[in-house]
Amino acid sequence: MSQNSRNIYGGQAVIEGVMFAGRHANVTAVRRKNNEIVFYEVPRTTKTWVQKLKKVPLVRGVVAILESSAKGSQHLNFSMETYAEDEVPPEKAEEQSEIKETKPEEKSGWSLSMVVGVAVAGIISFIVGKLVFTVVPAAVEELIFGRAFSNIIVHNLIEGGIKILFLLGYLYIISLTPLIKRLFQYHGAEHKVISAYEAGVDLTVANVQKFTRLHYRCGSSFMVFSVLVGVIVYSFFHWDSMWERIYIRVLLLPVVLGFSYEALRVTNSMRELPVLRYLGYPGLWLQKLTTKEPNDDQVAVSIASFNRMLELDRQGTPPQLVKV
């Protein structure tokens, strides 16, 4: 089966696992310390008005990003809870087990209020992080070079360079920690499985491992585009003080995100063209930091998550919220 005849899927690495988003459900598979693979399945339901917004150019990018942050945080939280349970000493695990047995209502999984709470927290975390990443480089550039020259474009280029340095430094530092390194390996496993599926090969560990860990549709590419697009968008607006400069950037943040999303869509759709394919290269280069080569066990978890997601898609009806 050709790639064009297949659905386009995306995913996300979580702690000791991978999440894939299907048409009817988002599925996470996590490997526990005893090598058991557990699943977390969330029905994929979207309000009608959200679906309409996702068809509007520029607006659909912001909607998709916020939706991804909300849903992704649920699965990340599940993986963190599972990881934390495995890290609990045996004696404490027995005590917690006894407590849970006295409260059977807690065995039913996440309540709706818990899911909504985690989703909102994920959106807020994304917004706060994006604001910090937008404001701090602008303030640093203004403090260092604010009176050095008056050319706005040069100021924006320097600001973009500072953002890139901040981003690379942050990713490099966190990649040195064992937990994040494994997270980046699962990120690589997610990309390999999607590439193998799009190539139409059987999803075996041996087949999947032959593919690259880099992928054009990755969110890492979006981060690069947001910096480059920001340089262009901000050049149309003049400021007279640092606070005015920061104020403008905060107001224009949705615009930058919207254009960045569209740019990512264009580069992905044209990646087979000899010249335009190079537009996606900066994002692929950044993925050399955000992904690592996975081992066979990590690829097996990614395959398990993807296959379960495909199984739910074939059933055609959204499942109930469940932890398996």
Side-chain angles (χ1 to χ4, degrees), residues 32-283:
R32 307 198 67 159
K33 271 195 171 182
N34 62 1
N35 279 328
E36 176 190 8
I37 297 179
V38 295
F39 295 89
Y40 176 55
E41 303 164 5
V42 181
R44 189 167 186 177
T45 56
T46 304
K47 301 292 185 181
T48 303
W49 63 272
V50 174
Q51 289 284 21
K52 291 181 179 179
L53 288 178
K54 290 171 72 173
K55 296 179 181 180
V56 181
L58 298 182
V59 175
R60 62 188 174 191
V62 178
V63 174
I65 293 164
L66 294 178
E67 184 181 48
S68 176
S69 299
K71 293 181 178 180
S73 63
Q74 300 171 24
H75 293 262
L76 182 60
N77 197 71
F78 165 74
S79 70
M80 292 173 65
E81 284 187 349
T82 304
Y83 180 81
E85 288 177 5
D86 284 343
E87 293 301 308
V88 174
E91 59 274 12
K92 289 189 176 181
E94 292 180 3
E95 294 177 5
Q96 293 180 1
S97 178
E98 292 176 359
I99 294 175
K100 287 183 178 180
E101 288 178 0
T102 63
K103 298 181 179 181
E105 68 276 7
E106 293 184 358
K107 292 184 178 182
S108 60
W110 289 18
S111 66
L112 177 61
S113 61
M114 291 173 65
V115 171
V116 172
V118 172
V120 171
I123 293 176
I124 293 174
S125 297
F126 169 80
I127 293 174
V128 171
K130 194 61 184 174
L131 285 174
V132 170
F133 185 67
T134 299
V135 170
V136 173
V140 170
E141 198 282 335
E142 181 73 19
L143 290 172
I144 298 176
F145 301 100
R147 299 184 181 278
F149 40 81
S150 59
N151 191 305
I152 291 180
I153 296 178
V154 175
H155 278 295
N156 289 337
L157 287 172
I158 296 175
E159 178 186 336
I162 293 174
K163 283 184 181 180
I164 293 293
L165 290 177
F166 276 16
L167 178 62
L168 294 177
Y170 169 75
L171 291 174
Y172 175 74
I173 291 173
I174 65 173
S175 69
L176 298 178
T177 63
L179 185 63
I180 299 301
K181 180 179 179 181
R182 289 186 62 80
L183 179 71
F184 286 174
Q185 285 179 297
Y186 277 106
H187 191 187
E190 174 230 325
H191 285 180
K192 283 174 175 274
V193 167
I194 291 178
S195 295
Y197 171 79
E198 292 176 344
V201 304
D202 292 334
L203 296 183
T204 65
V205 172
N207 285 343
V208 170
Q209 284 286 34
K210 296 176 183 178
F211 288 84
T212 176
R213 71 178 197 267
L214 311 180
H215 199 284
Y216 267 83
R217 290 199 310 274
C218 178
S220 301
S221 299
F222 176 80
M223 289 190 288
V224 175
F225 276 116
S226 67
V227 174
L228 300 178
V229 170
V231 171
I232 299 173
V233 172
Y234 299 147
S235 297
F236 289 94
F237 298 86
H238 179 77
W239 66 87
D240 295 315
S241 67
M242 181 175 71
W243 296 114
E244 186 177 352
R245 181 179 186 176
I246 292 174
Y247 175 75
I248 290 173
R249 272 141 183 76
V250 172
L251 286 181
L252 291 175
L253 184 55
V255 178
V256 172
L257 294 178
F259 274 111
S260 301
Y261 182 83
E262 300 300 328
L264 183 61
R265 285 171 58 95
V266 170
T267 57
N268 181 66
S269 63
M270 298 182 176
R271 68 174 187 254
E272 300 302 327
L273 299 180
V275 177
L276 295 180
R277 65 182 305 177
Y278 295 108
L279 293 174
Y281 276 28

